[in-house]
Amino acid sequence: ASKQEIWHLTKLYWYTVEFGTVQEGSKVKAFGAGLLSSFGELKYMISGTDNGLLPKFQQLNPFSTLPKMSYKDGFQKTYFICSSFTDILSKLQAYAKSIEQPYVTDYFKAQ
């Protein structure tokens, strides 16, 4: 993978494993470790700030350019959402398959 692809994978990790959300019916639920480990971030994700600032929710498209990762500014400005864990898995697998691998990573294929 190129340096650019590795950096993009880092952002995908940030916006899924750390700050991922999933749609369940009419509710958006947190599953990312960064969300679940921070009461303030979780509260912001659910209801915004006391002064009315609300987060944005955007469908995850792993092939799209993702915003800069930043935690120094307080809470995330945008959370990426998927319709299910199966949806997340299939999107991330599709992206991973698109990355050129100049070597074989599957033990059974190498034999």
Side-chain angles (χ1 to χ4, degrees), residues 10-56:
T10 302
K11 288 182 174 185
L12 284 171
Y13 175 89
W14 181 262
Y15 289 115
T16 57
V17 175
E18 290 295 329
F19 295 98
T21 61
V22 66
Q23 183 86 37
E24 284 191 356
S26 62
K27 293 184 179 182
V28 176
K29 295 188 176 182
F31 73 85
L35 272 167
L36 296 175
S37 65
S38 170
F39 176 76
E41 182 93 32
L42 188 58
K43 181 181 176 203
Y44 169 72
M45 192 265 321
I46 293 168
S47 57
T49 63
D50 293 337
N51 63 0
L53 182 63
L54 296 172
K56 295 179 204 165

Side-chain angles (χ1 to χ4, degrees), residues 86-102:
T86 303
D87 180 38
I88 296 166
L89 180 62
S90 66
K91 287 178 177 181
L92 294 178
Q93 283 177 331
Y95 180 75
K97 287 179 183 177
S98 75
I99 297 172
E100 185 176 333
Q101 297 179 18

